[in-house]
Amino acid sequence: MQGIDLHTHSNISDGTLSPDALVKSAVECGIRMLALTDHDTMDGVELVRKTAQDHDIKIISGVEISSQWSRPATKKSYGVHIVALDMQQPEPLLDALAIQKKIRAERAKQICHLLKNCIGQDIYENVLAQVDGEADRITRTHIAKTLVEKAIVSRPQQAFDRFLKEGKRAFVKFDGLSLADTIQIIHQSEGYAILAHPTRYDLSATNVRYLIELFSELKGDAVELPSNSEPLSTRGMVDRMIEQFNLKVSIGSDFHGDNMPWIKLGNTPVPKVGQQGIWESFRSF
Ligand code: AMP
Ligand code: MN
Ligand code: MN
Ligand code: MN
């Protein structure tokens, strides 16, 4: 336990703990520095800060942005998650997130429409009920949970494997910010751009390498270290690329509460000697 977790979710997006309960749990498990990084929204950050006032824990502003990049050779575009941390002037990012939220709300409708053709029923209203009617908070996790509730699949993972992941019949690309624009807007907001979970995009090793090189060329700041559950060889590959492209590192659990009970809050990978943590550059305190 290093006491730092810079990638977590609340029930504002696809976690299960409220922002308030997240802070209390973080304090209980010894975290001293926490970032809430919900999908395309910073709506929980103020709540987290408020609860933290009564506790010995530092809060870093954060959000996980749905972004996309492409290889000029193939023109194929790939989804990528960029965690933005420690924004000092969040307005440009908040403007961009307002558009991302509209895209998210529209995409949820499109996914449910495609699903109707697969399962013969429209589950949109049930999905919407999970987010208190706020369509711009819907993630595929909510859709997967609804499919479990309706007994169409037995586990959320099965919903991704049968319908929701890339290549499946109800997959809809998140057609939002490009990687270049994402990094630029984060920097305009005086924050740091972190490449989230680089080995969790179903990319070949060649494409992971290309992505990290592109991220570095676009002046991205840090790469998240692979979680402790990933193979040592994966960690080794990412460590070598971080060194080669002179990037800093970030550490986060990607905690989602009971939606992913195997991920423990504060269970973050330990940086190697010589790796520089992005938290050493934070300006919030
Ligand atoms: P969205 O932002 O709507 O595309 O939803 C993305 C979220 O769905 C991710 O942050 C994960 O929490 C979850 N997710 C994505 N892919 C999978 C998968 N293959 N299995 C289970 N959960 C997934
Ligand atoms: Mn998620
Ligand atoms: Mn992610
Ligand atoms: Mn995440």
Side-chain angles (χ1 to χ4, degrees), residues 7 9 39 64 81-83 196-197 201 254 256:
H7 186 160
H9 295 275
H39 294 288
E64 181 170 15
H81 285 175
I82 302 298
V83 164
H197 44 68
Y201 300 108
D254 208 2
H256 281 75

Side-chain angles (χ1 to χ4, degrees), residues 2-273:
Q2 303 165 85
I4 299 176
D5 197 332
L6 301 175
H7 186 160
T8 66
H9 295 275
S10 76
N11 63 2
I12 304 271
S13 65
D14 60 350
T16 55
L17 295 186
S18 67
D20 180 67
L22 177 72
V23 173
K24 288 174 181 161
S25 295
V27 170
E28 266 166 34
C29 66
I31 293 172
R32 307 292 293 272
M33 188 189 289
L34 175 75
L36 171 65
T37 55
D38 276 324
H39 294 288
D40 299 296
T41 177
M42 291 178 65
D43 289 358
V45 173
E46 274 317 302
L47 287 165
V48 158
R49 281 198 196 290
K50 197 157 172 278
T51 303
Q53 283 172 358
D54 303 329
H55 300 278
D56 183 20
I57 187 168
K58 289 174 172 147
I59 301 299
I60 303 301
S61 66
V63 55
E64 181 170 15
I65 303 169
S66 308
S67 179
Q68 48 185 338
W69 66 283
S70 60
R71 285 194 71 156
T74 58
K75 294 229 167 68
K76 181 172 164 23
S77 89
Y78 301 90
V80 62
H81 285 175
I82 302 298
V83 164
L85 294 176
D86 199 38
M87 280 62 71
Q88 302 298 300
Q89 303 288 341
E91 287 75 18
L93 186 51
L94 290 170
D95 289 346
L97 292 178
I99 299 169
Q100 293 281 102
K101 287 178 177 183
K102 284 193 183 141
I103 294 168
R104 182 172 282 288
E106 200 46 46
R107 169 176 172 261
K109 275 190 208 155
Q110 290 168 4
I111 294 173
C112 289
H113 183 75
L114 291 175
L115 268 177
K116 198 175 158 195
N117 298 333
C118 307
I119 63 174
Q121 56 177 307
D122 188 349
I123 63 165
Y124 181 71
E125 291 302 322
N126 304 78
V127 173
L128 198 56
Q130 287 199 35
V131 288
D132 306 319
E134 296 175 25
D136 56 11
R137 288 169 39 202
I138 300 173
T139 69
R140 284 182 291 163
T141 309
H142 297 106
I143 298 173
K145 272 180 98 169
T146 307
L147 289 169
V148 174
E149 278 170 19
K150 294 249 167 202
I152 290 157
V153 293
S154 52
R155 294 168 294 111
Q157 184 61 50
Q158 209 175 40
F160 280 91
D161 292 341
R162 281 181 60 192
F163 305 115
L164 300 175
K165 68 182 188 187
E166 177 145 28
K168 300 298 168 180
R169 280 166 73 197
F171 175 75
V172 179
K173 200 172 84 147
F174 195 110
D175 207 1
L177 285 168
S178 70
L179 179 59
D181 287 347
T182 303
I183 295 170
Q184 193 183 26
I185 292 167
I186 293 169
H187 287 166
Q188 281 169 0
S189 302
E190 297 179 20
Y192 296 110
I194 318 299
L195 176 61
H197 44 68
T199 49
R200 288 268 164 91
Y201 300 108
D202 269 336
L203 294 171
S204 65
T206 310
N207 276 345
V208 171
R209 183 182 180 76
Y210 187 94
L211 170 61
I212 293 180
E213 184 168 8
L214 177 66
F215 179 77
S216 159
E217 279 169 9
L218 295 171
K219 306 278 183 268
D221 299 286
V223 173
E224 247 177 36
L225 293 175
S227 84
N228 295 329
S229 65
E230 292 190 64
L232 274 178
S233 55
T234 300
R235 170 68 192 265
M237 174 183 81
V238 174
D239 282 342
R240 285 192 294 278
M241 294 180 193
I242 285 168
E243 187 173 351
Q244 183 182 353
F245 298 113
N246 203 19
L247 289 154
K248 294 180 178 162
V249 302
S250 184
I251 55 175
S253 62
D254 208 2
F255 177 72
H256 281 75
D258 288 344
N259 281 343
M260 297 181 194
W262 59 92
I263 298 178
K264 302 296 176 205
L265 188 56
N267 180 7
T268 53
V270 180
K272 249 182 35 164
V273 173

